[in-house]
Amino acid sequence: MSQSYSNWMDKVYLAAMIVAGFSLLIMTVIIPIGIFSRYVLNRGESWPEPVAIICMVTFTFIGAAVSYRAGSHIAVNMLTDRLPQALQTLCARVVDLLMLLISFVMFYYSYFLCADLWQQPVAEFPVLTSGQTYLPLPIGAVLLILFVIERLLFGSQENRPVVLLGNHG
């Protein structure tokens, strides 16, 4: 069971990493286009800023789940590193449980945010609604929930081959 769940999470992790990476890439390309359009062509386009914001939200919330599974999120360990091993393990479990709680709260509120704004169009992008632009929030929350459950049940996944992909440490 644990191996099949972790293998499934490897696929989810890889897909989320690709989505976050493409969001960062698109955002990096779109921002200079907006600057070039405004200051060189002397006409401000309306679409680069909302596209960059959507990409930033996607990169932030999907990327947060990816970094959590990889153990590359920001952590302050000054106090816990000085505790005995048993207390370090207890603190890590408490942090994971709090992370699970925060992820559920984030999913709850972001789901209703998307639902409430689902019909409201985005002025610069009539194809999208505001609710659709906020979809990375509940999706990122679900990914975090899945990764936290994996960590609680099977321990840290930082040393899995798919997580170490590209690391040269």
Side-chain angles (χ1 to χ4, degrees):
M1 171 69 177
S2 70
Q3 189 59 36
S4 63
Y5 185 82
S6 290
N7 287 339
W8 187 66
M9 287 295 99
D10 284 347
K11 290 176 179 69
V12 170
Y13 170 82
L14 199 54
M17 187 171 24
I18 289 168
V19 167
F22 272 121
S23 295
L24 182 61
L25 176 69
I26 292 168
M27 184 177 67
T28 304
V29 169
I30 293 295
I31 290 172
I33 289 172
I35 293 169
F36 180 81
S37 171
R38 174 163 291 154
Y39 295 109
V40 176
L41 300 178
N42 211 18
R43 80 168 187 243
E45 301 290 341
S46 63
W47 62 270
E49 184 180 353
V51 170
I53 290 171
I54 291 167
C55 289
M56 184 185 65
V57 170
T58 302
F59 170 73
T60 300
F61 285 92
I62 305 296
V66 167
S67 70
Y68 179 81
R69 186 172 195 241
S72 59
H73 56 303
I74 296 173
V76 179
N77 298 330
M78 186 174 62
L79 173 66
T80 57
D81 285 348
R82 288 168 176 71
L83 295 174
Q85 185 59 43
L87 285 176
Q88 286 182 12
T89 304
L90 176 68
C91 286
R93 289 292 174 213
V94 169
V95 166
D96 289 336
L97 289 171
L98 289 172
M99 192 67 193
L100 188 63
L101 176 67
I102 289 168
S103 299
F104 274 115
V105 169
M106 188 172 81
F107 174 77
Y108 177 83
Y109 285 107
S110 63
Y111 171 81
F112 286 109
L113 175 69
C114 288
D116 290 344
L117 298 176
W118 197 258
Q119 297 299 324
Q120 182 178 336
V122 176
E124 295 84 3
F125 269 164
V127 181
L128 291 177
T129 67
S130 292
Q132 292 166 337
T133 63
Y134 287 116
L135 274 176
L137 280 74
I139 292 170
V142 167
L143 291 174
L144 269 170
I145 290 167
L146 292 172
F147 293 153
V148 171
I149 289 170
E150 179 186 38
R151 183 179 291 233
L152 284 169
L153 295 177
F154 311 120
S156 173
Q157 303 299 308
E158 297 172 19
N159 294 318
R160 292 188 64 81
V162 72
V163 174
L164 293 174
L165 188 69
N167 289 343
H168 303 289

Coordinates of all heavy atoms in Angstrom, one line a residue, residues 11-88:
K11 N 4.2 10.6 -9.3 CA 3.6 11.1 -10.5 C 2.9 12.4 -10.3 O 3.1 13.4 -11.1 CB 2.6 10.1 -11.1 CG 3.3 8.8 -11.6 CD 2.2 7.8 -12.1 CE 2.8 6.5 -12.6 NZ 3.5 5.7 -11.7
V12 N 2.2 12.6 -9.2 CA 1.5 13.8 -8.9 C 2.6 14.9 -8.6 O 2.5 16.1 -9.1 CB 0.6 13.7 -7.6 CG1 0.1 15.0 -7.1 CG2 -0.6 12.7 -8.0
Y13 N 3.6 14.6 -7.9 CA 4.7 15.5 -7.6 C 5.4 16.0 -8.9 O 5.6 17.2 -9.1 CB 5.7 14.8 -6.7 CG 7.0 15.5 -6.5 CD1 7.1 16.5 -5.6 CD2 8.2 15.2 -7.3 CE1 8.3 17.2 -5.4 CE2 9.4 15.9 -7.1 CZ 9.4 16.9 -6.1 OH 10.6 17.6 -5.9
L14 N 5.7 15.1 -9.8 CA 6.3 15.4 -11.1 C 5.4 16.3 -11.9 O 5.9 17.3 -12.4 CB 6.7 14.1 -11.8 CG 7.7 14.3 -12.9 CD1 9.0 14.9 -12.4 CD2 8.0 12.9 -13.5
A15 N 4.1 16.0 -12.0 CA 3.2 16.8 -12.7 C 3.1 18.2 -12.1 O 3.1 19.2 -12.8 CB 1.8 16.2 -12.8
A16 N 3.0 18.3 -10.8 CA 3.0 19.6 -10.1 C 4.2 20.4 -10.3 O 4.2 21.6 -10.5 CB 2.7 19.4 -8.6
M17 N 5.4 19.7 -10.3 CA 6.6 20.4 -10.5 C 6.7 21.0 -11.9 O 7.2 22.1 -12.1 CB 7.8 19.5 -10.3 CG 9.1 20.2 -10.3 SD 10.6 19.3 -9.8 CE 10.2 17.6 -10.0
I18 N 6.2 20.2 -12.9 CA 6.2 20.7 -14.3 C 5.2 21.9 -14.4 O 5.6 22.9 -15.1 CB 5.8 19.6 -15.2 CG1 6.9 18.5 -15.3 CG2 5.4 20.1 -16.6 CD1 6.5 17.2 -16.0
V19 N 4.1 21.8 -13.8 CA 3.1 23.0 -13.9 C 3.7 24.2 -13.2 O 3.7 25.3 -13.8 CB 1.8 22.6 -13.2 CG1 0.9 23.8 -13.0 CG2 1.0 21.6 -14.0
A20 N 4.3 24.0 -12.1 CA 5.0 25.2 -11.4 C 6.1 25.7 -12.2 O 6.3 27.0 -12.3 CB 5.4 24.8 -10.0
G21 N 6.9 24.9 -12.8 CA 8.0 25.3 -13.6 C 7.6 26.1 -14.8 O 8.1 27.1 -15.2
F22 N 6.5 25.5 -15.5 CA 6.0 26.2 -16.7 C 5.4 27.6 -16.3 O 5.5 28.6 -17.1 CB 5.0 25.4 -17.5 CG 5.7 24.5 -18.5 CD1 5.5 23.1 -18.4 CD2 6.5 25.0 -19.5 CE1 6.1 22.3 -19.3 CE2 7.1 24.2 -20.4 CZ 6.9 22.8 -20.4
S23 N 4.8 27.6 -15.2 CA 4.2 28.9 -14.7 C 5.3 29.9 -14.5 O 5.1 31.1 -14.9 CB 3.4 28.7 -13.4 OG 2.3 27.9 -13.6
L24 N 6.4 29.5 -13.9 CA 7.5 30.4 -13.7 C 8.1 30.9 -15.0 O 8.4 32.0 -15.2 CB 8.6 29.8 -12.8 CG 9.8 30.6 -12.4 CD1 9.4 31.9 -11.7 CD2 10.8 29.8 -11.6
L25 N 8.2 29.9 -15.9 CA 8.8 30.2 -17.2 C 7.9 31.2 -18.0 O 8.4 32.2 -18.5 CB 9.0 29.0 -18.1 CG 9.4 29.2 -19.5 CD1 10.9 29.6 -19.5 CD2 9.3 27.9 -20.3
I26 N 6.6 31.0 -18.0 CA 5.7 31.9 -18.7 C 5.7 33.3 -18.1 O 5.7 34.3 -18.8 CB 4.3 31.3 -18.7 CG1 4.2 30.0 -19.6 CG2 3.2 32.3 -19.2 CD1 3.0 29.2 -19.5
M27 N 5.7 33.3 -16.7 CA 5.7 34.6 -16.0 C 7.0 35.3 -16.4 O 7.0 36.6 -16.6 CB 5.7 34.4 -14.5 CG 5.6 35.6 -13.7 SD 5.4 35.4 -12.0 CE 6.9 34.6 -11.5
T28 N 8.1 34.6 -16.5 CA 9.4 35.3 -16.8 C 9.4 35.8 -18.2 O 10.1 36.8 -18.5 CB 10.5 34.2 -16.6 OG1 10.5 33.7 -15.3 CG2 11.9 34.8 -16.9
V29 N 8.7 35.2 -19.1 CA 8.6 35.7 -20.5 C 7.6 36.8 -20.7 O 7.9 37.8 -21.4 CB 8.3 34.5 -21.5 CG1 8.0 35.0 -22.9 CG2 9.4 33.5 -21.5
I30 N 6.5 36.7 -20.0 CA 5.4 37.7 -20.1 C 5.8 39.1 -19.6 O 5.4 40.1 -20.2 CB 4.1 37.1 -19.4 CG1 3.6 35.9 -20.1 CG2 3.1 38.2 -19.3 CD1 3.1 36.1 -21.5
I31 N 6.4 39.1 -18.4 CA 6.8 40.4 -17.8 C 7.6 41.3 -18.7 O 7.3 42.4 -18.9 CB 7.4 40.2 -16.4 CG1 6.3 39.7 -15.5 CG2 8.0 41.5 -15.9 CD1 6.8 39.3 -14.1
P32 N 8.7 40.8 -19.3 CA 9.4 41.6 -20.3 C 8.6 42.0 -21.5 O 8.8 43.1 -22.0 CB 10.6 40.8 -20.7 CG 10.8 39.8 -19.6 CD 9.4 39.5 -19.1
I33 N 7.7 41.2 -21.9 CA 6.8 41.6 -23.1 C 6.0 42.8 -22.7 O 5.9 43.7 -23.4 CB 5.9 40.4 -23.5 CG1 6.8 39.3 -24.2 CG2 4.8 40.9 -24.4 CD1 6.0 38.1 -24.5
G34 N 5.5 42.8 -21.5 CA 4.7 43.9 -21.0 C 5.5 45.2 -20.9 O 5.1 46.3 -21.2
I35 N 6.7 45.0 -20.4 CA 7.6 46.2 -20.2 C 8.0 46.7 -21.6 O 8.0 47.9 -21.8 CB 8.9 45.8 -19.4 CG1 8.5 45.5 -18.0 CG2 9.9 46.9 -19.5 CD1 9.5 44.9 -17.1
F36 N 8.4 45.8 -22.5 CA 8.7 46.2 -23.9 C 7.6 46.9 -24.6 O 7.8 48.0 -25.2 CB 9.2 45.0 -24.7 CG 9.6 45.3 -26.1 CD1 10.8 45.8 -26.4 CD2 8.7 45.1 -27.2 CE1 11.2 46.1 -27.7 CE2 9.0 45.4 -28.5 CZ 10.3 45.9 -28.7
S37 N 6.4 46.4 -24.4 CA 5.2 47.0 -25.0 C 4.9 48.4 -24.5 O 4.6 49.3 -25.3 CB 4.0 46.1 -24.8 OG 2.8 46.7 -25.2
R38 N 5.1 48.5 -23.2 CA 4.8 49.8 -22.6 C 5.8 50.9 -22.9 O 5.5 52.0 -23.2 CB 4.6 49.7 -21.1 CG 4.4 51.0 -20.3 CD 3.9 50.8 -19.0 NE 2.5 50.4 -19.1 CZ 1.8 49.7 -18.2 NH1 2.4 49.4 -17.1 NH2 0.6 49.3 -18.4
Y39 N 7.1 50.5 -22.7 CA 8.2 51.6 -22.8 C 8.8 51.7 -24.1 O 9.4 52.8 -24.4 CB 9.2 51.3 -21.7 CG 8.6 51.5 -20.3 CD1 8.4 50.4 -19.5 CD2 8.2 52.7 -19.9 CE1 7.8 50.5 -18.2 CE2 7.7 52.9 -18.6 CZ 7.4 51.8 -17.8 OH 6.9 52.0 -16.6
V40 N 8.8 50.7 -24.9 CA 9.4 50.8 -26.3 C 8.4 51.0 -27.3 O 8.6 51.9 -28.2 CB 10.2 49.5 -26.6 CG1 10.8 49.5 -28.0 CG2 11.4 49.3 -25.6
L41 N 7.3 50.3 -27.3 CA 6.3 50.5 -28.3 C 5.3 51.6 -27.9 O 4.5 52.0 -28.7 CB 5.5 49.2 -28.5 CG 6.3 48.0 -29.0 CD1 5.4 46.8 -29.2 CD2 7.0 48.3 -30.3
N42 N 5.4 52.0 -26.7 CA 4.6 53.1 -26.2 C 3.1 52.8 -26.2 O 2.3 53.7 -26.4 CB 4.9 54.4 -26.9 CG 4.7 55.7 -26.0 OD1 4.7 55.5 -24.8 ND2 4.6 56.8 -26.6
R43 N 2.8 51.6 -26.0 CA 1.4 51.2 -25.8 C 1.3 50.1 -24.8 O 1.9 49.1 -24.9 CB 0.7 50.8 -27.2 CG 1.0 49.4 -27.6 CD 0.2 49.0 -28.8 NE 0.4 47.6 -29.0 CZ 1.0 47.1 -30.0 NH1 1.2 47.8 -31.1 NH2 1.2 45.8 -30.1
G44 N 0.5 50.4 -23.8 CA 0.4 49.4 -22.7 C -0.6 48.3 -23.0 O -1.8 48.6 -23.3
E45 N -0.2 47.1 -23.1 CA -1.1 46.0 -23.3 C -1.8 45.6 -22.0 O -1.2 45.8 -20.9 CB -0.3 44.7 -23.8 CG 0.4 45.0 -25.1 CD -0.5 45.1 -26.3 OE1 -1.6 44.7 -26.2 OE2 0.0 45.6 -27.3
S46 N -3.0 45.2 -22.1 CA -3.8 44.9 -20.8 C -3.6 43.5 -20.4 O -3.8 43.2 -19.2 CB -5.3 45.1 -21.1 OG -5.7 44.3 -22.1
W47 N -3.1 42.6 -21.2 CA -3.0 41.2 -20.8 C -1.8 40.7 -20.1 O -1.9 39.7 -19.3 CB -3.2 40.3 -22.0 CG -2.2 40.5 -23.1 CD1 -2.2 41.3 -24.1 CD2 -1.0 39.7 -23.2 NE1 -1.1 41.2 -24.9 CE2 -0.3 40.2 -24.3 CE3 -0.4 38.7 -22.5 CZ2 0.9 39.7 -24.7 CZ3 0.8 38.2 -22.9 CH2 1.5 38.7 -24.0
P48 N -0.6 41.3 -20.2 CA 0.6 40.7 -19.5 C 0.5 40.7 -18.0 O 0.9 39.7 -17.4 CB 1.8 41.6 -20.0 CG 1.3 42.2 -21.3 CD -0.2 42.4 -21.1
E49 N 0.0 41.7 -17.4 CA -0.1 41.7 -16.0 C -1.0 40.7 -15.4 O -0.6 39.9 -14.5 CB -0.5 43.1 -15.5 CG -0.5 43.2 -13.9 CD -0.9 44.5 -13.4 OE1 -1.1 45.5 -14.2 OE2 -1.0 44.7 -12.2
P50 N -2.3 40.5 -15.9 CA -3.1 39.4 -15.3 C -2.5 38.0 -15.6 O -2.6 37.1 -14.8 CB -4.5 39.6 -16.0 CG -4.4 40.7 -16.9 CD -3.0 41.4 -16.8
V51 N -1.9 37.8 -16.8 CA -1.3 36.5 -17.0 C -0.1 36.3 -16.1 O 0.0 35.2 -15.5 CB -0.8 36.5 -18.5 CG1 0.0 35.2 -18.7 CG2 -2.0 36.5 -19.5
A52 N 0.7 37.3 -15.8 CA 1.8 37.1 -14.9 C 1.3 36.8 -13.5 O 1.9 36.0 -12.8 CB 2.7 38.4 -14.9
I53 N 0.2 37.5 -13.1 CA -0.4 37.2 -11.8 C -0.9 35.8 -11.6 O -0.7 35.1 -10.6 CB -1.5 38.3 -11.4 CG1 -0.8 39.7 -11.2 CG2 -2.3 37.9 -10.2 CD1 -1.8 40.8 -11.1
I54 N -1.6 35.4 -12.7 CA -2.1 34.0 -12.7 C -1.0 33.0 -12.6 O -1.0 32.0 -11.8 CB -3.0 33.7 -13.9 CG1 -4.3 34.5 -13.8 CG2 -3.3 32.2 -14.1 CD1 -5.1 34.6 -15.1
C55 N 0.1 33.3 -13.3 CA 1.3 32.4 -13.3 C 1.9 32.4 -11.9 O 2.4 31.4 -11.4 CB 2.3 32.8 -14.4 SG 1.7 32.4 -16.0
M56 N 2.0 33.6 -11.3 CA 2.6 33.7 -10.0 C 1.8 33.0 -8.9 O 2.4 32.3 -8.1 CB 2.7 35.2 -9.6 CG 3.4 35.4 -8.3 SD 3.5 37.1 -7.7 CE 1.8 37.4 -7.4
V57 N 0.5 33.1 -9.0 CA -0.4 32.4 -8.1 C -0.2 30.9 -8.3 O -0.1 30.1 -7.3 CB -1.8 32.8 -8.2 CG1 -2.8 31.9 -7.4 CG2 -2.0 34.2 -7.8
T58 N -0.2 30.4 -9.5 CA 0.0 29.0 -9.8 C 1.4 28.5 -9.3 O 1.5 27.5 -8.6 CB -0.1 28.7 -11.3 OG1 -1.4 29.2 -11.7 CG2 0.1 27.3 -11.6
F59 N 2.4 29.3 -9.6 CA 3.8 28.9 -9.2 C 3.8 28.9 -7.6 O 4.4 27.9 -7.1 CB 4.8 29.9 -9.7 CG 6.2 29.7 -9.1 CD1 6.9 28.6 -9.5 CD2 6.7 30.6 -8.2 CE1 8.2 28.4 -8.9 CE2 7.9 30.5 -7.7 CZ 8.7 29.4 -8.0
T60 N 3.2 29.8 -7.0 CA 3.3 29.9 -5.5 C 2.6 28.7 -4.8 O 3.2 28.0 -4.0 CB 2.7 31.2 -5.0 OG1 3.4 32.3 -5.6 CG2 2.8 31.3 -3.5
F61 N 1.4 28.5 -5.2 CA 0.6 27.5 -4.5 C 0.9 26.0 -4.9 O 0.9 25.1 -4.1 CB -0.9 27.8 -4.6 CG -1.3 28.9 -3.7 CD1 -1.3 30.2 -4.2 CD2 -1.6 28.7 -2.4 CE1 -1.6 31.3 -3.4 CE2 -1.9 29.8 -1.6 CZ -1.9 31.1 -2.1
I62 N 1.1 25.8 -6.2 CA 1.5 24.5 -6.6 C 3.0 24.2 -6.2 O 3.3 23.1 -5.8 CB 1.3 24.3 -8.2 CG1 -0.1 24.7 -8.6 CG2 1.7 22.9 -8.6 CD1 -1.2 23.8 -8.1
G63 N 3.8 25.2 -6.4 CA 5.2 25.1 -6.0 C 5.4 24.9 -4.5 O 6.3 24.2 -4.1
A64 N 4.5 25.4 -3.7 CA 4.6 25.2 -2.2 C 4.4 23.8 -1.9 O 5.1 23.2 -1.0 CB 3.6 26.1 -1.5
A65 N 3.5 23.1 -2.6 CA 3.2 21.7 -2.3 C 4.5 20.9 -2.8 O 4.9 20.0 -2.1 CB 2.0 21.2 -3.1
V66 N 5.0 21.2 -3.9 CA 6.2 20.5 -4.4 C 7.4 20.7 -3.4 O 8.0 19.7 -3.1 CB 6.6 21.1 -5.8 CG1 8.0 20.6 -6.2 CG2 5.6 20.7 -6.8
S67 N 7.6 21.9 -2.9 CA 8.7 22.2 -2.0 C 8.5 21.5 -0.7 O 9.4 21.1 0.0 CB 9.0 23.7 -1.8 OG 7.9 24.3 -1.1
Y68 N 7.2 21.4 -0.3 CA 6.9 20.7 1.0 C 7.3 19.2 0.9 O 8.0 18.7 1.8 CB 5.4 20.8 1.4 CG 5.1 20.1 2.6 CD1 5.3 20.6 3.9 CD2 4.6 18.8 2.6 CE1 5.0 20.0 5.0 CE2 4.3 18.1 3.8 CZ 4.5 18.7 5.0 OH 4.3 18.0 6.2
R69 N 7.0 18.6 -0.2 CA 7.3 17.1 -0.3 C 8.8 16.9 -0.4 O 9.4 16.0 0.1 CB 6.6 16.5 -1.6 CG 6.9 15.0 -1.6 CD 6.1 14.4 -2.7 NE 6.1 12.9 -2.5 CZ 6.6 12.1 -3.5 NH1 7.1 12.5 -4.6 NH2 6.5 10.8 -3.2
A70 N 9.5 17.9 -1.1 CA 10.9 17.8 -1.3 C 11.7 18.2 0.0 O 12.9 18.0 0.0 CB 11.4 18.6 -2.5
G71 N 11.0 18.8 0.9 CA 11.7 19.2 2.1 C 12.5 20.5 1.9 O 13.4 20.8 2.7
S72 N 12.2 21.2 0.8 CA 13.0 22.4 0.5 C 12.3 23.7 0.9 O 12.6 24.7 0.5 CB 13.4 22.4 -1.0 OG 12.2 22.4 -1.7
H73 N 11.2 23.6 1.7 CA 10.5 24.7 2.2 C 11.3 25.4 3.3 O 12.2 24.8 3.8 CB 9.1 24.3 2.7 CG 9.1 23.3 3.7 ND1 9.8 22.1 3.6 CD2 8.7 23.3 5.0 CE1 9.6 21.3 4.7 NE2 9.0 22.1 5.6
I74 N 10.9 26.6 3.5 CA 11.6 27.4 4.6 C 11.3 26.8 5.9 O 10.1 26.6 6.3 CB 11.3 28.9 4.5 CG1 11.7 29.5 3.2 CG2 11.8 29.6 5.7 CD1 11.2 30.9 3.0
A75 N 12.3 26.6 6.7 CA 12.1 26.1 8.1 C 13.1 26.7 9.0 O 14.3 26.8 8.6 CB 12.2 24.5 8.1
V76 N 12.7 27.0 10.2 CA 13.6 27.5 11.2 C 13.8 26.4 12.2 O 12.8 26.1 13.0 CB 13.1 28.8 11.8 CG1 14.0 29.3 12.9 CG2 12.8 29.9 10.8
N77 N 14.9 25.8 12.3 CA 15.2 24.7 13.1 C 16.1 25.0 14.3 O 16.6 24.1 14.9 CB 15.9 23.6 12.3 CG 15.0 23.1 11.2 OD1 13.7 23.1 11.3 ND2 15.6 22.7 10.1
M78 N 16.3 26.2 14.6 CA 17.3 26.6 15.6 C 16.9 26.0 17.0 O 17.8 25.4 17.7 CB 17.3 28.1 15.8 CG 18.4 28.6 16.7 SD 18.5 30.4 16.7 CE 16.9 30.9 17.3
L79 N 15.7 26.0 17.3 CA 15.2 25.4 18.6 C 15.2 23.9 18.5 O 15.7 23.2 19.4 CB 13.9 26.0 19.0 CG 13.2 25.3 20.3 CD1 14.1 25.7 21.5 CD2 11.8 25.8 20.4
T80 N 14.5 23.4 17.5 CA 14.3 21.9 17.4 C 15.6 21.1 17.2 O 15.7 20.0 17.7 CB 13.3 21.6 16.3 OG1 13.8 22.1 15.1 CG2 11.9 22.1 16.6
D81 N 16.6 21.7 16.6 CA 17.9 21.0 16.5 C 18.6 20.8 17.8 O 19.4 19.9 17.9 CB 18.8 21.8 15.5 CG 18.4 21.7 14.1 OD1 17.5 20.9 13.7 OD2 18.9 22.5 13.3
R82 N 18.2 21.5 18.8 CA 18.9 21.4 20.1 C 18.1 20.5 21.0 O 18.5 20.2 22.2 CB 19.0 22.8 20.7 CG 20.1 23.6 20.0 CD 20.1 25.1 20.4 NE 21.1 25.9 19.9 CZ 21.2 26.2 18.6 NH1 20.3 25.8 17.7 NH2 22.2 26.9 18.2
L83 N 17.0 20.0 20.6 CA 16.1 19.1 21.4 C 16.6 17.6 21.2 O 17.3 17.3 20.2 CB 14.7 19.1 21.0 CG 14.0 20.5 21.2 CD1 12.6 20.4 20.6 CD2 13.9 20.8 22.7
P84 N 16.3 16.8 22.2 CA 16.6 15.3 22.1 C 15.8 14.8 20.9 O 14.8 15.3 20.5 CB 16.1 14.7 23.4 CG 15.9 15.8 24.3 CD 15.7 17.1 23.5
Q85 N 16.3 13.7 20.3 CA 15.7 13.1 19.1 C 14.2 12.8 19.2 O 13.5 13.0 18.3 CB 16.5 11.8 18.7 CG 16.0 11.2 17.4 CD 16.2 12.1 16.2 OE1 17.2 12.8 16.1 NE2 15.3 12.2 15.4
A86 N 13.8 12.3 20.4 CA 12.4 12.0 20.6 C 11.5 13.2 20.5 O 10.5 13.2 19.9 CB 12.2 11.3 22.0
L87 N 12.0 14.3 21.1 CA 11.3 15.6 21.0 C 11.3 16.2 19.6 O 10.3 16.8 19.2 CB 11.8 16.6 22.0 CG 11.4 16.3 23.5 CD1 12.0 17.3 24.4 CD2 9.9 16.4 23.6
Q88 N 12.4 16.0 18.9 CA 12.5 16.4 17.5 C 11.4 15.7 16.6 O 10.7 16.3 15.8 CB 13.9 16.2 16.9 CG 14.9 17.1 17.4 CD 16.3 16.8 16.7 OE1 16.4 16.1 15.8 NE2 17.3 17.4 17.3

